[in-house]
Amino acid sequence: AQTVTQSQPEMSVQEAETVTLSCTYDTSESDYYLFWYKQPPSRQMILVIRQEAYKQQNATENRFSVNFQKAAKSFSLKISDSQLGDAAMYFCGYGGTSYGKLTFGQGTILTVHP
Amino acid sequence: DTGVSQDPRHKITKRGQNVTFRCDPISEHNRLYWYRQTLGQGPEFLTYFQNEAQLEKSRLLSDRFSAERPKGSFSTLEIQRTEQGDSAMYLCASSPDRVNEQFFGPGTRLTVL
């Protein structure tokens, strides 16, 4: 079974600065997908960024980028130029290639200070 | 709004009662997923459908839980004889075929007294 671990229950960052959220996972599969989802308070989860395991190039979406280390089974999220609207719970997720369930970590609460 | 919708948004019930939640996926999304999220935790998978077929069920889905998607469109999740441990947020997500991205609804928050 796949597992996802987020070891940082809480993180904080000053507005306009950069923060990195950590995620490790365990799987015996060679091909899979990794995700970062954002869940603002009392709002629904939205996808921030997605990485296909077969791609060596790290995914980037505007201010959000990942550091994907397949051998180390590590998948961190870097948020550059942090904004107040980035404050939320962030979940790292793992998905197989059969378009089935996602397995999520415990989440990291990100606070952005003005 | 053409996103995933869930009804009701909040449900308070007494222990032992039955409850039913509804999820309407994004139009033409043939995959539909149910997750449960307790406070401060990540969502845990319960079950998912491709069209009307239920393809996988988690062992978290005890005999008191049943999910249906009769016409391959909306889905219902029923919990019978609710227990206090069932108190959680129940999330629904949908995705189009052969796309590995799930779109989540706002959730139904269940409180069992």
Side-chain angles (χ1 to χ4, degrees):
Chain A
Q2 293 79 22
T3 59
V4 178
T5 302
Q6 294 178 249
S7 58
Q8 305 157 316
E10 298 182 28
M11 292 285 285
S12 65
V13 63
Q14 291 292 132
E15 197 175 7
E17 295 190 347
T18 296
V19 64
T20 299
L21 308 185
S22 301
C23 172
T24 58
Y25 60 94
D26 190 27
T27 183
S28 58
E29 302 296 324
S30 59
D31 198 12
Y32 46 87
Y33 294 80
L34 296 167
F35 305 85
W36 280 98
Y37 275 86
K38 169 184 177 181
Q39 188 176 42
S42 300
R43 296 181 63 185
Q44 61 206 74
M45 289 177 57
I46 57 173
L47 180 68
V48 174
I49 198 165
R50 175 179 59 192
Q51 173 81 41
E52 291 90 343
Y54 66 87
K55 290 186 177 179
Q56 292 186 332
Q57 186 173 4
N58 290 324
T60 300
E61 289 286 343
N62 301 314
R63 299 182 294 107
F64 299 88
S65 62
V66 299
N67 183 1
F68 173 47
Q69 301 290 327
K70 190 173 184 179
K73 296 181 180 175
S74 169
F75 183 61
S76 61
L77 174 69
K78 185 171 81 171
I79 306 174
S80 304
D81 185 25
S82 297
Q83 300 176 0
L84 295 178
D86 294 334
M89 177 80 95
Y90 286 81
F91 292 101
C92 178
Y94 171 101
T97 55
S98 62
Y99 313 108
K101 67 181 181 184
L102 298 183
T103 301
F104 290 96
Q106 306 90 321
T108 298
I109 298 173
L110 178 65
T111 302
V112 181
H113 297 288
Chain B
D1 185 27
T2 57
V4 178
S5 62
Q6 294 187 244
D7 183 68
R9 296 290 306 276
H10 303 273
K11 178 70 176 179
I12 299 174
T13 191
K14 293 182 179 180
R15 185 166 51 93
Q17 298 295 305
N18 299 343
V19 294
T20 300
F21 310 141
R22 175 178 170 128
C23 171
D24 287 88
I26 294 172
S27 179
E28 299 181 356
H29 280 194
N30 65 341
R31 291 177 182 264
L32 187 148
Y33 308 81
W34 285 100
Y35 293 85
R36 181 171 70 186
Q37 184 180 24
T38 53
L39 196 62
Q41 299 296 314
E44 295 176 295
F45 170 77
L46 293 178
T47 187
Y48 93 95
F49 295 84
Q50 180 173 355
N51 300 314
E52 63 275 11
Q54 190 173 18
L55 296 189
E56 187 176 353
K57 292 169 59 175
S58 165
R59 54 187 169 83
L60 291 176
L61 212 66
S62 75
D63 291 345
R64 297 185 297 106
F65 288 70
S66 63
E68 293 183 342
R69 194 183 183 198
K71 296 183 180 180
S73 56
F74 72 91
S75 176
T76 58
L77 177 67
E78 180 183 17
I79 309 175
Q80 296 181 327
R81 306 181 302 281
T82 52
E83 303 173 354
Q84 288 187 326
D86 297 331
S87 295
M89 177 76 85
Y90 290 84
L91 298 172
C92 177
S94 70
S95 69
D97 200 16
R98 307 188 68 77
V99 172
N100 216 322
E101 176 180 345
Q102 295 182 17
F103 298 80
F104 283 81
T108 294
R109 181 168 296 284
L110 173 66
T111 301
V112 182
L113 303 176

